[in-house]
Each structure stands twice: as C-alpha cells, then as structure tokens.
Amino acid sequence: MDSILVTGNGPLNGQIPIAGAKNACLTLMPATLLSEEPLTLTNAPRLSDIKTMTALLQSLGAEVSSLQDGQVIAMSSHDLTSQTADYEIVRKMRASNLVLGPLLARFGEAVVSLPGGCAIGARPMDLHVEGLEALGAEIELEDGYLHAKAPGGLKGAVHEMRFASVGATENIVMAATLAKGTTVLKNAAREPEIVDLVECLRKMGAQISGEGTSTIEIQGVDRLHGATHQVVTDRIELGTYMLAPAICGGEVELLGGRVSLVESFAEKLDAAGVDVVQTKNGLKVARKNGRVRSVDVVTEPFPGFPTDLQAQMMALMCTAEGTSVLEERIFENRFMHAPELVRMGANIEVHGGTATVTGVESLKGAPVMATDLRASVSLILAGMAAEGETTVSRVYHLDRGYEHVVRKLEGVGAKIERIKGQ
Ligand code: EPZ
C-alpha cells in the first residue's frame, strides 16, 4: 500500500484548482438510469469512487465512457441487463445505494445490497426505505439485500423525513421524477450537491422546485430525456485546501471556489483569524497574523458546519491558541483521526461525540495511519506544519476523494511525495 511522506516547511503560496464534487458526481451518475437517452457529465473529478460507480452502472448494463482524462463521463442506460446492485460493489462504497430510487422508478424493481457499516458509523438505510415506501414501493430485506418492487409504478405522496439525510433525499427525489402525481418531500437535505442534482434532473425534463430548502416538490412526468451537465465545484475539497494556508501560513488562491459553498465554514475560519476573500478566479485564503485562535465547532446538515470538514478543522485547532470543542452530531464514530494527531503531539480528549482540543505550539512529525477519507487528509495537513517528517499510511482512502493531492499541494510549496508501497 502506498504512503505519503510530508515534511513541515513553512508558508505556502500559489493557486490550487478545485475539482468537481465527488458527492455530486456520485448522485448524478445514477440519474442516467432514469432515462434511455444519453446523460453526459463534464467537470467530473478523477477519483477511485467514480471508478467504483462506473463499474456498478456497467454491471447493470449501462454504457459508461470516461473521456478527456476522466473529466467527461458519457453514459447511456438504454439497454439495461440487470437491476441488482451487488454486495461486492456496494460494500466498497455506500453511495452505490443511490441506484435504488432510479431503478425502482424506471423499471418498477430493484435489488440493492445493504452497504453494511463503515469506519465512521453504522449508516443504515431506513430513511431511504421509508421515503420510497411512501411513494408506494414494497421493500423487503432478504439475505442482506433490499428487494424493492413497484409493480404498478410509483405514486406521488407527501412525506416528511425524520432526519435530513442527503442520500435518502437524493434517492426519493430521483424516484419521484417518474412517479404518478405530485410528491412533497419535507425536512429534505439542503446540500449544494442536491441542488446540483435537481438542476441536472430539470435539464432532463423533470418538474422540481424548492431545491436547497427543506421542502422539495416534484411533479412526476412520463419520461426523462438526455442532457449534458457540469458537475458543481467540490465544497469539501475547497474547504480542505482552504485549511492549508490556515495551518502553514502564507496565501493560497483556490480556483473555482465560491463563498456560498462554504459559508458556515468560512465564518469559522474568520473567527479563528483566517482571511477568506472572494476573487474573480476563486477564494483567496491567508492567515491574518501568527497563530490562529481556537473556535468551537458543531457539525450539522447544510447550511451548518459540514461533518466532512470536521477532521480537517481539528488539524487546524491542534496548534491554535486556546481550547476548541468539536461536537460531531452527524456520525457516531468520526474521531478516528484524533489518536493519530495525538501521536504527533496534539492535546485532544474525546468523550463520545465531543472532542476537546487544547492547542500546542507545534506538532511533531510521526508515522500515522489514515482510517477514512477525510481523516487521511487531516493528517497530511497536520504534517505540513509539523516539525520533521510525517508518513501517512493507507492512502487508498485519500484516492477516493482527492484527485492529484500531491501535485496540488506541491504546487503551492508543500514538501510532499507519494511513496510506492511494496
Ligand atoms: C452523504 O452521505 C455524503 N456522501 C457523506 O460524505 C456526508 O458525510 C453525508 O452525506 C453527510 O453530509 C455522499 O454524498 C456520497 P446521510 P449519506 O444519509 O447520504 C444516518 C464523504 O466523506 N442515516 O445524510 O450517507 C447516517 O447513519 C462522505 O465524502 C440513517 O440513520 O449521509 C448518518 O449518521 C462521508 N438512516 C446520518 O444519517 C438512513 O437511512 C447522515 O447520513 C440514512 C442515514
């Protein structure tokens, strides 16, 4: 397995291009199943998760071609041969469950493996099932697979979700586009990736309003046609790289960045003493002066502080002045980066869903292990400001969500290289 060697070496300067959003692309790709006409995505990120979704769609019989070095994905699901999403693929990537709604809507049946747990939590699918059953689906769990049927087609309904689940919102909205009648989805998730999905579905002929608010209304239509759609900028990659100058000093411009994608995160950085300025090319980020100040963080559904930036923010708080309390309210086990940061000299106490970080002058490089996608990059950020060398192992986690991370950070002066595994 490869590892990444990073050496702390002072302020950063330059520009980092931000890619298309992984979590938008992973819901836009299954949308191809809703139509027999081609769907083409541009500005797609080059990530292993995208390759996994490609393999899943191809296993269903869809044609998926990766063009222009992976930045364009051309898909057609005119002739599907299967409606079963196999455990072998779904267990690797939970987002595979996003084929459930589209398959059910277009073909009236789907068999999708439950993803099983993952490092950050149990991640059940009860909210997906409740929403699709509200649309008239009959769903049984057998031998680890959800067997979903809608023999007479789905019917529009009013449904309020118990929690604003991102994936459940995406599955229900995609299914509702072809249901008979009107669906009103209440307590819907408001993430920018859902807004992006709706904009793409609308280009395909869907009748949807309210995206980005807690209530989304969908008028079912008989069929959807093909489209071409540009994937929205990745707000999590954006937020991650905004932390690089915050932790190391210097000034970095994140190309394609928009404050509207990271509002609550940018407010926290401002409170910590980090300047975030919108330019015509993106976001310019610089530490105002010296050490950043500690701030408290509570992760919430959008527009609250994103859980996917919690690990990275913890890395910044490790060398902040004062004490920071980070409360993780979305996932039950998302502090696995904490013991690795402690190995680097951080002062962190974890009790249940709360981590208390008391800032230290500086961290010390050490061998550490990536445990999940966002934890892996928080260790790299910490290593960039630590004294000495840090080796981050198990970087396959990183490849799931960050394209060309070494090239992007080297480009602004970081001392970082990828070591091929034996
Ligand atoms: C999406 O996951 C993202 N993944 C996650 O990003 C992100 O952390 C999460 O939303 C929250 O923002 C993709 O978009 C591919 P949820 P998702 O359904 O849809 C519980 C990353 O690092 N829940 O909003 O799975 C669940 O267990 C990844 O890029 C139920 O209880 O998130 C979790 O505790 C990690 N029942 C909480 O809700 C359900 O039926 C949030 O889950 C569904 C979810």
Side-chain angles (χ1 to χ4, degrees), residues 22-23 26 94-95 97-98 120 122-129 163-168 170 191 235 307-308 330-332 334 373-374:
K22 166 179 85 79
N23 291 348
L26 289 175
R94 173 186 174 79
N97 64 17
L98 294 172
I120 59 177
R123 305 186 76 182
M125 281 189 61
D126 51 334
L127 299 171
H128 298 243
V129 170
F163 172 82
S165 155
V166 172
E170 291 162 346
E191 274 67 7
R235 64 192 170 96
T307 175
D308 293 349
I330 304 293
F331 289 104
E332 61 267 35
R334 204 171 195 176
L373 167 56
R374 306 304 174 179

Side-chain angles (χ1 to χ4, degrees), residues 177-254:
T177 58
L178 297 177
K180 290 182 188 62
T182 301
T183 296
V184 177
L185 183 59
K186 295 184 175 178
N187 196 25
R190 300 169 53 190
E191 274 67 7
E193 293 74 34
I194 287 168
V195 173
D196 201 43
L197 170 65
V198 171
E199 286 171 359
C200 177
L201 293 171
R202 200 173 280 134
K203 287 177 191 169
M204 296 170 72
Q207 308 279 322
I208 308 179
S209 60
E211 70 278 9
T213 76
S214 299
T215 301
I216 300 178
E217 186 165 316
I218 307 108
Q219 317 286 344
V221 295
D222 293 338
R223 58 191 296 280
L224 294 180
H225 50 73
T228 296
H229 180 76
Q230 178 178 309
V231 179
V232 69
T233 301
D234 191 323
R235 64 192 170 96
I236 305 303
E237 188 193 26
L238 171 62
T240 300
Y241 288 131
M242 287 166 72
L243 283 165
I247 289 177
C248 302
E251 180 178 84
V252 172
E253 186 173 32
L254 294 317

